[in-house]
């Protein structure tokens, strides 16, 4: 039996991307992966995730696209709805304890909101990304399968160019303020299309050429491009794909910023791979990105509650504000106002997510063993 070959560069990329996501959600998390504001997380981390997903798309899926859709439903959409229900129930319980975060536990927030918003229960709001990623993957497979069945040989650069144009169109819609309700779902999907297509295009066409470029020249090109952007716009460019509401530099620049961030981290991962690629902590992060995405805010909340509980029983953390804790998910208490203490939030988010995933894995194993025992 042949072992599946693992590309450890992408273990690093997934680990870096999820660290960016978590750090970005807790005011930097006491760390910095943005190269002194040259490459802000916003507009890069989710583009990087999407690029990685595109890189691993296999043409074998085109033979049985229905099976591919079912697999993606099982691995992305069903778990997303599972977390939606779980966090809906948790938010309902928290409301009884005086918390004001999250919406009502009703059918609309359970079934519809995850598709066109994803922020309804707050604690799992980072999971909004699952639906546009799923749709980009499915649409890519269906379009390619259609052309394949027609016998049309479409050059890969046509797919890539088409995705870029689609992305620009989606960004233009967002700029025109078509980004509420179901329009938001549409523009999110279109925004991510170029990054997914870039993953496929890079693997099939670009990689063999890009790998020949010496790193000094490669980084010089990437940073020079970013410097020209800084000089032209005279501001820090960062974007919020969750709402697509800050594409102030036009429909092209969000795509370029994403591509430059991908280019930077792709080469960094290539350089780091021999040393860090097989590290257990890197693989632990990269293999559990779904759980970390869904559960990070619970980790943040538990740190706040821990600070508040200690403040209630001791003379420590006297500035802790329970009213803000219960009403503002974006409020973070910092002992003595030291920014570096936010590392506790980042670490707790990761630990809680890994613990939840471990518990779910054990439950799944137990269920499987019971099923096999009953069948005997």
């Amino acid at each position: 039996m042949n072992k599946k070959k693992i590309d450890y560069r992408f273990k690093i990329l997934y680990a870096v991307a999820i660290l960016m996501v978590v750090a970005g959600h807790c005011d930097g998390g006491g760390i910095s992966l943005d190269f002194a504001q040259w490459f802000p997380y916003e507009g890069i981390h989710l583009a990087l995730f999407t690029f990685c997903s595109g890189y691993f798309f296999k043409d074998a899926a085109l033979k049985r696209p229905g099976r591919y859709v079912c697999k993606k439903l099982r691995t992305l959409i069903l778990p997303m709805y599972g977390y939606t229900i779980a966090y809906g129930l948790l938010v309902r319980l928290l409301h009884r304890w005086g918390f004001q975060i999250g919406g009502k536990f009703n059918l609309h927030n359970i079934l519809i909101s995850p598709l066109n918003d994803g922020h309804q229960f707050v604690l799992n709001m980072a999971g909004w990304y699952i639906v546009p990623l799923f749709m980009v993957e499915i649409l890519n497979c269906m379009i390619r399968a259609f052309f394949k069945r027609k016998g049309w040989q479409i050059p890969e650069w046509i797919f890539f160019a088409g995705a870029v144009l689609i992305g620009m169109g989606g960004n233009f819609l967002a700029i025109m303020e078509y980004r509420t309700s179901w329009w938001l779902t549409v523009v999110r999907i279109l925004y991510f299309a170029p990054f997914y297509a870039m993953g496929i295009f890079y693997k099939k066409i670009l990689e063999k050429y890009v790998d020949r470029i010496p790193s000094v020249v490669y980084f010089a090109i990437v940073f020079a491009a970013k410097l020209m952007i800084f000089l032209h716009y005279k501001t820090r460019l960062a974007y919020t794909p969750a709402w697509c509401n800050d594409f102030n530099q036009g429909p092209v620049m969000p795509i370029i910023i994403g591509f430059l961030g991908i280019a930077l981290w792709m080469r960094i991962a290539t350089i780091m791979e021999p040393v860090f690629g097989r590290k257990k902590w890197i693989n632990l992060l990269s293999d559990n990105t779904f759980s970390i995405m869904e559960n990070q805010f619970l980790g943040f909340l538990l740190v706040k509650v821990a600070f508040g509980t200690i403040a209630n029983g001791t003379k420590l953390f006297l500035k802790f504000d329970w009213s803000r804790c219960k009403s503002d998910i974006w409020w973070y208490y910092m002992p003595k106002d030291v920014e570096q203490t936010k590392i506790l939030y980042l670490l707790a988010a990761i630990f809680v997510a890994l613990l939840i995933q471990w518990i779910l894995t054990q439950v799944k194993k137990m269920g499987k063993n019971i099923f096999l025992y009953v069948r005997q």
Side-chain angles (χ1 to χ4, degrees):
M1 181 176 177
N2 294 324
K3 274 192 171 183
K4 183 179 179 182
K5 186 178 179 181
I6 298 174
D7 191 335
Y8 287 97
R9 296 175 303 167
F10 286 86
K11 294 288 187 180
I12 295 172
L13 287 177
Y14 276 120
V16 167
I18 199 63
L19 282 174
M20 285 183 180
V21 169
V22 178
H25 285 149
C26 57
D27 290 340
I31 64 173
S32 180
L33 293 170
D34 59 7
F35 290 89
Q37 298 298 303
W38 276 72
F39 293 88
Y41 304 152
E42 303 91 338
I44 289 179
H45 44 34
L46 295 181
L48 191 55
F49 266 119
T50 312
F51 166 80
C52 293
S53 297
Y55 187 90
F56 288 109
F57 174 77
K58 294 180 174 60
D59 287 336
L62 305 180
K63 296 178 181 178
R64 304 188 70 175
R67 175 177 288 187
Y68 179 81
V69 172
C70 290
K71 178 185 176 183
K72 292 299 177 179
L73 284 169
R74 186 178 71 253
T75 57
L76 291 176
I77 300 302
L78 290 181
M80 179 199 71
Y81 273 114
Y83 276 117
T84 297
I85 294 170
Y87 276 107
L89 292 170
L90 177 58
V91 164
R92 186 176 182 181
L93 179 63
L94 290 174
H95 284 174
R96 294 184 179 181
W97 293 341
F99 283 81
Q100 300 165 39
I101 57 176
K104 294 182 179 180
F105 186 74
N106 55 36
L107 285 178
H108 184 272
N109 279 340
I110 294 170
L111 299 177
I112 305 302
S113 290
L115 302 177
N116 63 12
D117 185 322
H119 288 63
Q120 70 280 10
F121 295 131
V122 176
L123 289 176
N124 67 322
M125 61 180 166
W128 71 263
Y129 169 65
I130 303 302
V131 169
L133 174 64
F134 168 80
M135 289 304 301
V136 168
E137 291 183 325
I138 298 307
L139 289 173
N140 168 75
C141 181
M142 291 302 171
I143 291 171
R144 289 173 182 268
F146 172 79
F147 288 136
K148 184 178 178 64
R149 291 193 177 184
K150 290 290 185 179
W152 299 346
Q153 300 295 323
I154 309 297
E156 191 59 42
W157 71 268
I158 294 290
F159 283 118
F160 175 64
V164 171
L165 291 175
I166 287 171
M168 290 169 58
N171 295 345
F172 181 76
L173 287 174
I175 293 169
M176 297 300 291
E177 299 190 3
Y178 287 93
R179 44 180 166 75
T180 57
S181 188
W182 291 105
W183 277 112
L184 179 60
T185 305
V186 172
V187 296
R188 283 172 173 175
I189 294 167
L190 299 181
Y191 165 79
F192 285 118
F195 307 122
Y196 191 84
M198 171 55 86
I200 301 173
F201 186 63
Y202 181 81
K203 184 177 184 179
K204 291 185 175 183
I205 307 296
L206 285 184
E207 190 168 20
K208 58 180 176 288
Y209 301 110
V210 171
D211 286 348
R212 298 173 187 170
I213 303 174
S215 291
V216 172
V217 177
Y218 185 96
F219 286 127
I221 294 171
V222 172
F223 277 89
K226 200 64 187 288
L227 180 59
M228 286 189 287
I229 292 171
F230 280 132
L231 290 172
H232 181 74
Y233 291 105
K234 301 176 184 179
T235 186
R236 168 185 180 271
L237 297 187
Y239 300 105
T240 311
W243 305 113
C244 301
N245 61 351
D246 48 11
F247 297 165
N248 301 319
Q249 292 79 32
V252 180
M253 195 50 59
I255 299 173
I256 292 176
I257 292 298
F259 283 167
L260 287 175
I262 290 167
L264 174 76
W265 283 103
M266 187 71 237
R267 179 51 63 98
I268 292 175
T270 301
I271 295 171
M272 293 173 62
E273 186 270 333
V275 179
F276 292 101
R278 291 166 176 77
K279 295 292 184 182
K280 289 184 178 179
W281 64 274
I282 289 287
N283 286 266
L284 197 61
L285 290 174
S286 65
D287 294 342
N288 292 281
T289 55
F290 190 101
S291 181
I292 297 171
M293 194 75 79
E294 290 280 6
N295 297 302
Q296 58 189 284
F297 281 91
L298 177 60
F300 300 155
L301 181 61
L302 290 176
V303 173
K304 298 173 193 178
V305 170
F307 280 138
T309 303
I310 294 171
N312 287 346
T314 69
K315 294 182 179 180
L316 297 172
F317 313 138
L318 295 179
K319 292 183 179 180
F320 186 87
D321 188 340
W322 271 109
S323 64
R324 293 200 66 185
C325 176
K326 292 182 177 182
S327 62
D328 184 1
I329 192 68
W330 299 108
W331 175 76
Y332 294 96
Y333 173 74
M334 297 175 290
K336 298 185 178 181
D337 294 324
V338 176
E339 286 282 337
Q340 285 74 13
T341 57
K342 289 177 182 174
I343 192 71
L344 297 174
Y345 292 99
L346 185 143
L347 294 175
I350 293 171
F351 174 79
V352 168
L354 294 178
L355 178 61
I356 290 173
Q357 185 56 50
W358 180 83
I359 292 171
L360 291 175
T361 300
Q362 298 308 308
V363 170
K364 185 177 178 180
K365 286 181 179 178
M366 289 176 59
K368 185 177 180 180
N369 290 336
I370 292 172
F371 175 77
L372 292 175
Y373 177 78
V374 171
R375 286 190 62 186
Q376 289 178 352

